[in-house]
Each structure stands twice: as structure tokens, then as C-alpha cells.
Amino acid sequence: MASQVSGGSLLAALDVEHPEWRPLLVLIEAAQREAERPHWARFVPAPGHQGREGRPLLDGAVISVAPKLIERWVRHILALAASAGTEVEPLVNAVAAGRLDPSLLFETAVSQDVDRFHEIARVERDYRGVLRGLASLIAMPMLQTCWRVWAERVPTDWTYGYCPVCGGWPALAEIRGLDGARHLRCGCCGSDWRTEWLRCPFCREGDHEKLGFLVSPEGLERQSIEVCDVCRGYVKTITTLTAIRPDDVLLHDLATLPLDMAALERDYRRPAARGSAVAVGVVAESWRLRDLLSLRA
Ligand SMILES: [Zn+2]
Ligand SMILES: [Zn+2]
């Protein structure tokens, strides 16, 4: 079962079990490879605050980047998406014609401001959520590097249901190790934060009479679906011995698609809106240098 393996073997297993997902798997693999490149760590700013009162660390960040590197990455993933046959022509054409600045696209993706992403892409509708998924993949190398660099800065008493780094809702929950601690995991940045048992991450309901489990589809014994009858939200839960690697959270999210189907059949949903909006500015390194020099002149 693909969902019970990890790392490169999970990607390979999904590729064998679901050849129809290959176009998406190619994009995820590209984003994983990109996230491993060391230059992203150079762009991670120091957080401007301590992440108190539910404010994700990314909120208010100004990321200073090398435009050429951003442009190379954005063009690469767009080209891959186009060759995989996804509906990204408006974006590819706008970038190729110089009408759309890749850094602006990158800034919108890192902010995960999907409405603005659609506006920039000049599309009226996001057919099958292609652009939403693409925005997450464009942002993934930066967001995962932020998590790697900031992990120690996340407040240990973070009790919110959304990600303490990027503000996204959890992709899944892990019941981990021998003590069965419950951790929520972000599919965008890979972050990992501990949470109480019997607490809805979306509306924070804690009354056990309003929370429950759905029976897992056959063959998925180590997985379950936690549901909330107040907000009708659900979170997929996986029992693990050790933490899922940050860059594999998205693959586990994909591998557990039968759980999503089972939840949707019973009218439970993942919230469409973000957990907590974050404002992120992206500026060019060279612009900042010029600015500094002009101040000195
Ligand atoms: Zn996150
Ligand atoms: Zn709820």
C-alpha cells in the first residue's frame, strides 16, 4: 500500500499505483528537489515577531530574493506544468511575453493568496483547482526552507489549528510514537505542531459528543478520519512510529485520497479559506543593494 511507505519510495509507489497522477507527481518531485537546493536558506528572513497570539511567523515577513533564481524556478515549474497538459497557458504566456513578473507570481504563491493568484493569472475560474495546487508547489521550496530554519522559533505552546509558520490548515494529523502524541502537519511548509486529542483544528470544538471518527475504507487500518459536527470539517489521521518527513507530507496527503472521498461522501469538508492570512513582501536583493547605495550617496 503506497501510503505505508515513505520518502522516494512513496513517490515511486504512487507512480506505480496511480499512473494517472503522473503529471502531478512530476511537479511534486520537482518541488521537492528544488526545496533541497541550499540557496533558499539565504532568502529566509529573521521573523519580525515571536509568533504570539496566533500570528504565523511568516506574517509580515519581507523576503529578499535573487530575481534570477526565482525566475528560473517559476519558469521551470510552469514549463513542467504546461508539458504535463495542465491548464496553465495564461500564466506561461504572460511570463514568456514579459507581462507577468515571476517575482510577483512567487510573492502571491508564498502568501498563498489564491484569489490574488487567480487575478494575476487573469483566469475567471480555476478549473479543477489547478492554479491553487500550482501556487502551493511554487511556494513549497521557500516555505519548507522557512520551516527548516524557523522550527526552533515556533512557540511550544502553539494551540491553534492552523500552521504556526505559514497559516495554512493542516493536511493531516499524525498519531505518533509509543505515547501516541497527536501532531498536526502542514502540507505547504511541512511544519509539525503538537495538539490535544479531541480538538477540532478548524473551529476548536473540544466537546467529545460533537467530535467523532469515521470508519476507514478497507485496507487503510492505520488511518482514520476525525470529524467535527459543529463546522463539518474533517482531518485525516495517520498512525506513525516517527515523524513524516516535511517534504513527504504532501505525498501522504495524496496517498490518503480514499479518506477524503469517504469524508466527502458524508458531507464533511476541508475549509476552503486559509487558517490565518499572512502578508508577505518579496523584494529583489539587487534592489535593496541599490537602495542602500543611494542612501549612502
Ligand atoms: Zn505551513
Ligand atoms: Zn469544527
Side-chain angles (χ1 to χ4, degrees):
M1 198 72 223
S3 54
Q4 293 179 11
V5 292
S6 64
S9 54
L10 176 56
L11 190 74
L14 287 175
D15 192 50
V16 170
E17 276 186 25
H18 297 281
E20 73 280 12
W21 292 353
R22 193 157 297 155
L24 176 59
L25 294 174
V26 165
L27 296 179
I28 293 176
E29 187 179 20
Q32 285 184 336
R33 281 220 190 109
E34 186 63 33
E36 286 167 11
R37 290 166 65 103
H39 64 251
W40 290 98
R42 186 155 61 87
F43 305 150
V44 176
H49 57 91
Q50 305 292 316
R52 298 279 160 214
E53 293 172 5
R55 189 178 178 198
L57 288 174
L58 194 64
D59 187 37
V62 176
I63 301 175
S64 165
V65 295
K68 277 209 162 16
L69 289 173
I70 297 303
E71 186 174 340
R72 181 196 54 74
W73 164 236
V74 170
R75 281 179 183 268
H76 176 59
I77 190 105
L78 286 180
L80 274 180
S83 63
T86 50
E87 298 156 31
V88 293
E89 256 84 287
L91 283 176
V92 175
N93 295 340
V95 170
R99 282 182 280 113
L100 177 54
D101 177 0
S103 292
L104 180 63
L105 202 58
F106 177 76
E107 178 183 273
T108 316
V110 171
S111 310
Q112 296 173 69
D113 185 347
V114 177
D115 290 339
R116 193 166 149 234
F117 199 85
H118 291 171
E119 208 176 288
I120 288 171
R122 296 189 187 160
V123 291
E124 285 176 20
R125 279 183 59 195
D126 184 8
Y127 295 100
R128 298 195 285 271
V130 168
L131 288 180
R132 178 183 292 266
L134 191 64
S136 303
L137 290 169
I138 289 174
M140 206 168 120
M142 186 75 237
L143 294 183
Q144 294 209 344
T145 311
C146 284
W147 161 244
R148 277 204 297 276
V149 176
W150 292 344
E152 300 298 318
R153 293 174 180 261
V154 168
T156 49
D157 57 353
W158 183 268
T159 56
Y160 300 86
Y162 52 81
C163 171
V165 172
C166 75
W169 288 123
L172 46 88
E174 274 181 72
I175 304 297
R176 186 187 303 161
L178 297 176
D179 62 345
R182 183 176 184 236
H183 293 249
L184 295 172
R185 301 299 305 270
C186 176
C188 299
C189 72
S191 77
D192 175 336
W193 67 107
R194 199 161 168 166
T195 182
E196 335 164 42
W197 277 82
L198 288 175
R199 173 78 59 193
C200 172
F202 312 116
C203 72
R204 304 179 77 177
E205 180 59 57
D207 181 348
H208 68 276
E209 298 213 338
K210 294 178 178 138
L211 302 169
F213 286 88
L214 297 183
V215 177
S216 299
E218 212 173 306
L220 301 176
E221 288 76 20
R222 293 191 308 155
Q223 303 166 8
S224 60
I225 309 160
E226 294 172 42
V227 296
C228 169
D229 283 326
V230 175
C231 69
R232 302 295 295 176
Y234 73 91
V235 62
K236 299 185 287 187
T237 302
I238 306 181
T239 304
T240 58
L241 276 177
T242 54
I244 292 171
R245 291 185 343 161
D247 54 349
D248 278 342
V249 175
L250 194 58
L251 287 175
H252 279 274
D253 188 12
L254 195 60
T256 49
L257 195 64
L259 301 184
D260 295 286
M261 307 306 285
L264 289 169
E265 271 173 20
R266 291 166 180 81
D267 280 335
Y268 292 99
R269 297 271 182 277
R270 294 204 220 190
R274 308 182 39 65
S276 176
V278 293
V280 184
V282 170
V283 295
E285 273 182 330
S286 56
W287 180 86
R288 285 187 57 178
L289 187 64
R290 271 208 313 274
D291 205 40
L292 213 62
L293 292 173
S294 73
L295 282 175
R296 282 185 176 178

